[in-house]
Amino acid sequence: MKKILMMALMAIVALGAYADDEPEFTVTSGSFVDVVRQPGKTATVEFNYLDAKTGNLRSKSLTDKTLREKLATEDEDVYKDWDDILENSKEYFVKRWNEEKKKNVKMLEKGKGDYHFVFTASAFDTGNAGASYWSVSKRDGGITVNAILEIKDASGQTVCTVKIHRYRGASSRNLDFKFPNFKRRMQMFHKSLAKDLLEDVNK
């Protein structure tokens, strides 16, 4: 009985680490809906992560090490291929976003659009490959970020900002059962980010 009670207590504590009253997306200025719901308009997107602090956002513990420093010292292969990994994951974001292009601004992979979306992360949790592989949840082990999304018009003026708080994207678990790695977690994170932004903020 004591063992059962102890396991139940540990489960409650683990769940508490995820508990947070603050929403994942909060529009802090302007109107996300007014910007996005403009069929015929276009936008581009960029993601700035390397200067974000790293750590475990699930337990709300961060280190002084930036993502740039973490990758340079702990994962040289990822650091060396960072630009290609980021560009590839951006393609996942753009593709998923444009599945709703009849209703919204169309996202361009290159060039100049009517708007420019800039994601700047202040905290970046790289996730956990083991958790993403074994968990029944498609979000466990996925990348988690704190960030600000700025949407700028063609003149460079910010017309909307969105606070992103402990957003946990999809993990890289899939049906081929290959062991997940950072690149695949990045791909799935950006794909789910586009979907959740449109569903949760663009209402």
Side-chain angles (χ1 to χ4, degrees):
M1 179 61 72
K2 288 183 178 180
K3 185 175 181 179
I4 294 175
L5 289 174
M6 183 61 69
M7 292 177 64
L9 180 61
M10 291 175 63
I12 291 171
V13 171
L15 288 173
Y18 289 97
D20 199 322
D21 292 334
E22 187 171 345
E24 290 181 318
F25 304 113
T26 303
V27 177
T28 56
S29 70
S31 172
F32 185 86
V33 172
D34 288 348
V35 171
V36 171
R37 289 185 181 172
Q38 296 186 79
K41 297 286 188 178
T42 58
T44 52
V45 61
E46 71 174 272
F47 299 94
N48 301 314
Y49 295 134
L50 287 178
D51 293 324
K53 298 296 184 182
T54 55
N56 189 329
L57 277 173
R58 292 154 290 168
S59 61
K60 305 179 184 178
S61 60
L62 292 175
T63 71
D64 290 330
K65 185 177 289 187
T66 65
L67 181 62
R68 185 192 310 275
E69 293 166 338
K70 178 181 175 66
L71 294 178
T73 57
E74 299 178 18
D75 201 331
E76 293 182 5
D77 289 339
V78 169
Y79 186 64
K80 179 182 66 176
D81 296 334
W82 175 257
D83 290 341
D84 289 338
I85 291 172
L86 188 61
E87 185 63 26
N88 173 261
S89 61
K90 186 176 83 170
E91 292 172 5
Y92 274 71
F93 179 92
V94 170
K95 182 178 180 180
R96 180 61 186 87
W97 181 283
N98 285 338
E99 290 178 3
E100 303 292 337
K101 66 183 179 181
K102 293 181 180 179
K103 302 176 182 178
N104 304 309
V105 165
K106 180 180 179 180
M107 199 65 67
L108 304 175
E109 290 189 13
K110 298 180 180 179
K112 187 173 182 179
D114 298 297
Y115 297 97
H116 186 52
F117 287 47
V118 183
F119 290 84
T120 303
S122 58
F124 192 104
D125 182 340
T126 57
N128 183 279
S132 64
Y133 183 76
W134 293 109
S135 176
V136 295
S137 170
K138 292 183 178 180
R139 298 186 77 184
D140 283 353
I143 288 170
T144 305
V145 301
N146 288 343
I148 296 294
L149 163 60
E150 290 183 275
I151 303 178
K152 301 182 179 184
D153 63 17
S155 70
Q157 180 178 355
T158 299
V159 295
C160 178
T161 58
V162 180
K163 180 181 180 182
I164 301 172
H165 175 70
R166 292 182 68 211
Y167 173 73
R168 186 160 52 112
S171 70
S172 55
R173 183 171 64 87
N174 59 25
L175 296 178
D176 65 12
F177 293 108
K178 292 178 181 178
F179 198 77
N181 56 37
F182 180 75
K183 179 178 179 180
R184 289 168 60 197
R185 289 201 297 280
M186 285 281 283
Q187 292 169 342
M188 295 301 99
F189 172 83
H190 288 83
K191 183 177 180 179
S192 62
L193 177 61
K195 174 180 177 292
D196 290 338
L197 265 175
L198 289 172
E199 289 184 354
D200 294 352
V201 183
N202 186 20
K203 296 179 180 178

